[in-house]
Amino acid sequence: MSAMSNSNWSRRSLFRAAAGMAAAGTLAACGSNNGRSGGGSGTGLVQYFHAYGEAGTEQAIKKYAAAYDKAKVTTQWITGSNFESKLFASLLTKNAPDLFEFHPQIQLVKSGQVADLTDIIEPVKDDFNQADIQSHTVDGKIYGVRMIDDPQFFFYRPSLFEKAKVEVPQTLEELLEVAAKLTTDKVKGVYLGNTLQAVIRPMIWAAGADTLDQNNKPAYHTDGVVEGLKQMRKLFTSGDLLLDAPADYWDPSALVQGLTAVQFCGMWAMPAMQKALGDDLGVFPFPKVGAAGKPSVYNGGWSMFVNAKSEKIEEAKAYVKWLWIDQKEYQEDWALSYGFHVPPRTSIAASAEKLKSGLPAEGVKLFTDYGHFDNIGWTQAMIKATEDVFADSVRKNGDPEAALDKCDTTVNAELKKLFG
């Protein structure tokens, strides 16, 4: 949910080494102000949010908190590039927040860091996108309430496609051809973000593969993924890929400022892009890779968790239930008033007028037809291992098979730790 954040970092691939270190209990204590000061009667709760880019988001979260009359809820709105390291460091101290936003990660469950929220979600479970319920469930218990779903796909300028006489690419190979024809002295054909990390999972899915299969075994080391890595290397060295843009992929400025004709980004940025480009804007999924492939859309998003080590678990759960389960008006506001997100509650999504026509409706259709959700078993160490594959075989000229073999070693060691 970041249209115009001023910090140049990728919040969407948040799981940096900090997560793994914190899970292992090795991070130093974080000495920043935790917001526990400030009087107010009754229970005091502290919640951590990263700094969303869209104007009005901080005020909205604080407005919702102020409307709650059972406890004084203080929001730590964490700016800069290290939300996750601040969060994980603080979780190891007595100044830890009572509740926080993050993404489903099994090590948070296995380490006893997040509270079981089944009792508050169960009564309304059927009104959630079932993929969101599944991605937060371990051994039949639900950890975390989804607040927003964030589909990610390609945005493009139809006027530039028309000028270059190209069609929307249906395969990764065609994307390379289209990028070459769209590239001019001033405009690059395509932008995938400064690190390329945002497209790793979309490319794996588009090759007909997956991160893990249903039995929590590696499912990404396929011929299709190898082919995809080779094509990505070709794109990386082609001169048609925008590199080192002023802001990363989640910020719409590369497309809006005319630095690229095609940009991988999230639906959160759609209102800002529409404001700048009007009708000269289209969307398409990550195109299929190889014969076994099919188009893919990564559904990112954010969820609220209760710190299981808090002294106020029940109070924190009551607040989460009040805001993210009972207050439909606030949930709708959060999903639709500052950027575009798909509400995880099916009843709210069904009545979301802003998503029912035009480009937003096309985005929702891509999400519905091709969406892939987080796998709770796909941990930070595994994410980092696939980032290393891209670094070795796309940014450098390493052998994709060798890079994937190395990745397998890390992933299998992680899986053994988690699942035995």
Side-chain angles (χ1 to χ4, degrees), residues 145-359:
V145 180
R146 195 61 149 184
M147 301 181 293
I148 45 173
D149 284 331
D150 280 336
Q152 298 171 31
F153 33 64
F154 284 103
F155 290 81
Y156 72 99
R157 302 273 304 275
S159 64
L160 299 179
F161 273 49
E162 211 173 303
K163 200 173 168 187
K165 297 182 171 58
V166 293
E167 301 288 325
V168 170
Q170 304 300 311
T171 65
L172 182 56
E173 206 170 359
E174 285 178 16
L175 179 65
L176 269 67
E177 292 164 13
V178 164
K181 288 177 182 168
L182 289 166
T183 299
T184 67
D185 294 347
K186 295 186 175 66
V187 183
K188 290 291 186 185
V190 65
Y191 180 50
L192 305 174
N194 288 328
T195 61
L196 310 185
Q197 289 167 359
V199 298
I200 296 174
R201 277 177 281 181
M203 193 209 81
I204 289 170
W205 293 316
D210 207 341
T211 50
L212 301 173
D213 66 16
Q214 288 175 317
N215 301 312
N216 291 312
K217 295 282 183 278
Y220 55 82
H221 194 156
T222 67
D223 291 346
V225 169
V226 170
E227 187 183 330
L229 288 166
K230 288 176 177 170
Q231 289 179 5
M232 293 296 280
R233 171 65 185 169
K234 202 171 153 187
L235 177 61
F236 187 75
T237 55
S238 66
D240 306 322
L241 186 66
L242 175 64
L243 300 165
D244 302 317
D248 212 340
Y249 83 102
W250 46 261
D251 186 301
S253 57
L255 191 75
V256 166
Q257 292 171 10
L259 305 178
T260 185
V262 179
Q263 177 177 343
F264 189 82
C265 194
M267 199 159 124
W268 60 81
M270 200 180 272
M273 288 188 185
Q274 286 182 309
K275 192 176 175 184
L277 302 170
D279 292 336
D280 190 20
L281 191 63
V283 290
F284 63 89
F286 197 100
K288 71 176 197 164
V289 179
K294 51 185 175 218
S296 78
V297 168
Y298 173 46
N299 174 54
W302 292 86
S303 311
M304 275 318 288
F305 296 91
V306 169
N307 181 2
K309 294 173 181 175
S310 163
E311 289 169 9
K312 302 168 186 168
I313 294 176
E314 291 310 316
E315 294 93 331
K317 279 173 66 174
Y319 176 65
V320 170
K321 178 184 182 298
W322 174 81
L323 178 51
W324 297 112
I325 290 174
D326 299 339
Q327 302 300 314
K328 288 199 173 188
E329 188 188 327
Y330 288 154
Q331 292 159 40
E332 184 173 33
D333 181 63
W334 188 238
L336 300 165
S337 296
Y338 311 98
F340 287 160
H341 315 264
V342 178
R345 298 288 290 274
T346 48
S347 59
I348 298 175
S351 64
E353 290 302 325
K354 288 179 181 177
L355 304 182
K356 281 189 175 169
S357 61
L359 203 64

